[in-house]
């Protein structure tokens, strides 16, 4: 089964083009079988009858009237009647009409009939029905009869097929353009860029769909804004009692004892981290992308996270990349720290080619099962059984990575490291460097 790829306009136009081609082919076959062939058969039989009649009449006429008869046949039937035998090569019949004509003459004379060609006409030698020594040569045009009518008929069918294809293209384009605008708006909304309402136009069903999409986008935007404000507000308000609790802990450390005080201090630190991550998740980022010298920026970023981490580089290093520096720094930082916390032998590998920059964060840990690789990007999702249950964390590290990647058109995915462990590949297209970031790393 043929599968068409591409836009709705391209695919639908291709389907209509194939349909129009099939209609055209079937129409031509039908015209040829039902009109052209019967017409050709009838024309060949009529021509054979006229040639036979001309030959019989010629030999029956007195000698003094034969010249007049030759002129009459030329004027009325475009036949050349002559008793002067010419030496001509045999004709090569490349049209079925003349083969039918020859077969018709063979049936009428019950003898083998050959056609000869003088360059302009076909000639046929006919026997004398009176058994006299005189033989007759009759010439006729080598052009196909009704050729103009056939060409016009075929042209009408072809023009009709072209009109159908053009009309189908216009109709499909009228539907596809609003759908394309809706698709583009969805992509912009998915990347959290400014959303502009889609013009409500086109057929009734398309107008209804567009209006519903506009309303849905407005409701989702309001929901996200309310969620962000609520989460940010709660997280911000929690910081005040946390500060009071930490102050009270320090004041009463001697009464509580060092063991209890250290445990409470550790709990407060974890709560502080949770609040900070929740605020970061709620805020997302409104940062504008800018062009940065990627090699120096990236190496200094990784060195600032862990000084002795290994960075392998493949491809050119002297280029600038358009990205949001703070958001990208947070993505790489979260991934590297997450890998260090849950695994051993963490390294970074950068691939650069003409189309993209791919950043891999690799480790030699226990890895992440395939069925968990989308779940680990959910807020507060933990997979301690696979990554070491002794670690306690907020569960927002990879959720923040996912949100930042979505905000800037990046994509994040998790794969397997060769030899065991997890591989995170952040891929940024260089032409649109705020898109397609793949990351392979540990779970939060």
């Amino acid at each position: 089964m043929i599968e068409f790829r591409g836009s709705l306009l391209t695919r639908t136009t291709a389907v209509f083009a194939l349909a129009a081609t099939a209609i055209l082919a079937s129409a031509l076959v039908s015209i040829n079988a039902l009109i052209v062939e019967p017409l050709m058969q009838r024309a060949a039989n009529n021509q054979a009858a006229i040639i036979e009649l001309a030959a019989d009449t010629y030999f029956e006429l007195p000698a003094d009237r034969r010249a007049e008869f030759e002129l009459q046949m030329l004027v009325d039937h475009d036949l050349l009647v002559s008793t002067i035998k010419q030496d001509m090569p045999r004709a090569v019949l490349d049209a079925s009409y003349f083969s039918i004509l020859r077969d018709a003459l063979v049936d009428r004379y019950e003898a083998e009939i050959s056609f000869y060609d003088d360059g302009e006409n076909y000639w046929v030698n006919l026997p004398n029905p009176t058994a006299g020594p005189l033989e007759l040569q009759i010439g006729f045009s080598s052009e196909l009869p009704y050729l103009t009518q056939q060409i016009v008929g075929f042209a009408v069918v072809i023009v009709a097929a072209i009109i159908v294809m053009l009309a189908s293209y216009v109709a499909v384009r009228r539907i596809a353009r609003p759908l394309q605008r809706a698709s583009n708006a969805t992509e912009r909304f998915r990347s959290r860029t400014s959303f502009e309402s889609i013009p409500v136009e086109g057929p009734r069903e398309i107008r209804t769909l567009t209006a519903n999409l506009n309303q849905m986008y407005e409701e989702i935007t309001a929901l996200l804004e309310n969620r962000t404000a609520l989460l940010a507000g709660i997280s911000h308000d929690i910081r005040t009692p946390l500060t009071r609790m930490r102050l009270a802990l320090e004041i009463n450390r001697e009464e509580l004892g060092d063991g209890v005080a250290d445990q409470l201090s550790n709990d407060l630190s974890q709560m502080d981290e949770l609040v900070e991550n929740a605020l970061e998740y709620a805020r997302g980022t409104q940062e504008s992308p800018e062009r940065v010298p990627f090699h120096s920026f990236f190496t200094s970023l990784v060195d600032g996270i862990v000084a002795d981490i290994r960075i392998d580089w493949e491809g050119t290093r002297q280029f600038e990349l358009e990205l949001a520096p703070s958001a990208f720094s947070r993505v790489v930082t979260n991934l590297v720290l997450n890998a260090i916390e849950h695994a051993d032998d963490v390294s970074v590998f950068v691939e650069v080619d003409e189309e993209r920059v791919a950043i891999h964060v690799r480790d030699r840990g226990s890895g992440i099962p395939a069925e968990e690789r989308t779940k680990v990007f959910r807020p507060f999702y933990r997979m301690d059984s696979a990554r070491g249950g002794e670690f306690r964390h907020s569960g927002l590290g990879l959720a923040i990575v996912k949100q930042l990647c979505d905000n800037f058109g990046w994509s994040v995915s998790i794969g397997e490291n060769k030899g065991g462990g997890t591989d995170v590949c952040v891929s940024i297209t260089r032409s649109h460097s705020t898109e397609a970031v793949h990351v392979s790393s540990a779970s939060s």
Side-chain angles (χ1 to χ4, degrees), residues 76-393:
D76 295 343
H77 302 286
D78 199 22
L79 291 181
L80 299 172
V81 180
S82 174
T83 55
I84 303 174
K85 191 173 183 179
Q86 306 177 66
D87 187 15
M88 294 173 289
R90 286 181 178 271
V92 178
L93 304 180
D94 53 2
S96 59
Y97 167 77
F98 295 108
S99 297
I100 297 172
L101 176 58
R102 181 184 59 190
D103 293 341
L105 291 173
V106 169
D107 292 340
R108 291 177 179 275
Y109 284 95
E110 297 181 352
E112 184 63 29
I113 302 294
S114 298
F115 283 11
Y116 301 92
D117 187 4
D118 67 357
E120 295 182 359
N121 300 289
Y122 287 155
W123 291 80
V124 59
N125 296 333
L126 298 178
N128 191 334
T130 62
L134 190 62
E135 289 187 357
L136 191 64
Q137 276 191 334
I138 296 182
F140 46 89
S141 176
S142 58
E143 296 182 358
L144 290 173
Y146 307 112
L147 182 60
T148 302
Q149 292 88 330
Q150 295 177 36
I151 293 174
V152 170
F154 291 149
V156 168
V157 174
I158 293 173
V159 170
I162 293 174
I163 292 174
V164 170
M165 291 175 61
L166 291 177
S168 301
Y169 175 82
V170 172
V172 174
R173 188 168 180 266
R174 185 168 178 265
I175 298 174
R177 289 183 64 184
L179 291 178
Q180 183 62 47
R181 282 195 292 267
S183 175
N184 294 338
T186 303
E187 286 296 324
R188 291 194 300 271
F189 183 77
R190 177 178 174 271
S191 299
R192 302 294 195 272
T193 58
S194 57
F195 172 75
E196 298 179 359
S197 295
I198 310 169
V200 181
E201 59 185 20
R204 182 181 61 188
E205 294 81 2
I206 300 298
R207 293 199 304 270
T208 302
L209 173 63
T210 303
N212 290 336
L213 283 175
N214 287 335
Q215 182 178 357
M216 182 187 68
Y217 293 148
E218 293 174 1
E219 293 174 354
I220 292 176
T221 300
L223 179 64
L224 291 175
E225 290 175 352
N226 292 337
R227 182 211 65 176
T228 301
L230 179 63
L231 187 57
I234 293 175
S235 301
H236 183 271
D237 292 342
I238 290 177
R239 280 186 161 183
T240 300
L242 283 177
T243 302
R244 290 199 298 264
M245 292 169 65
R246 190 178 293 279
L247 179 61
L249 175 64
E250 294 300 325
I251 293 174
N252 298 284
R253 174 175 287 272
E254 292 183 1
E255 297 179 10
L256 294 173
D258 289 340
V260 175
D262 290 342
Q263 181 62 44
L264 291 175
S265 178
N266 183 54
D267 291 341
L268 288 174
S269 297
Q270 291 187 22
M271 293 176 67
D272 252 341
E273 180 187 358
L274 176 61
V275 169
E276 179 61 32
N277 286 336
L279 281 172
E280 188 176 351
Y281 181 79
R283 285 194 301 265
T285 180
Q286 300 298 323
E287 185 181 9
S288 298
E290 59 184 77
R291 299 195 70 81
V292 298
F294 186 73
H295 180 264
S296 58
F297 168 75
F298 184 77
T299 52
S300 62
L301 168 63
V302 176
D303 289 341
I305 303 171
V306 181
D308 58 349
I309 193 170
R310 188 177 81 255
I311 302 177
D312 298 317
W313 200 283
E314 181 179 297
T316 181
R317 304 186 181 193
Q318 305 300 321
F319 69 97
E320 291 185 347
L321 192 63
E322 185 176 339
L323 48 76
S326 297
F328 182 76
S329 299
R330 172 54 59 188
V331 168
V332 175
T333 300
N334 282 9
L335 292 172
V336 171
L337 292 180
N338 191 64
I340 291 174
E341 181 181 5
H342 296 95
D344 300 322
D345 192 17
V346 178
S347 63
V348 177
F349 174 56
V350 181
E351 288 181 285
V352 182
D353 58 32
E354 295 181 357
E355 297 182 355
R356 67 170 192 152
V357 177
I359 301 98
H360 299 257
V361 179
R362 295 170 171 172
D363 63 53
R364 293 294 181 185
S366 56
I368 300 177
E371 63 272 12
E372 298 284 340
R373 291 174 187 171
T374 56
K375 297 178 182 178
V376 294
F377 292 113
R378 299 174 184 173
F380 304 109
Y381 183 85
R382 294 178 176 87
M383 201 189 67
D384 292 340
S385 61
R387 301 292 286 182
E390 72 275 13
F391 298 108
R392 301 175 63 188
H393 45 78

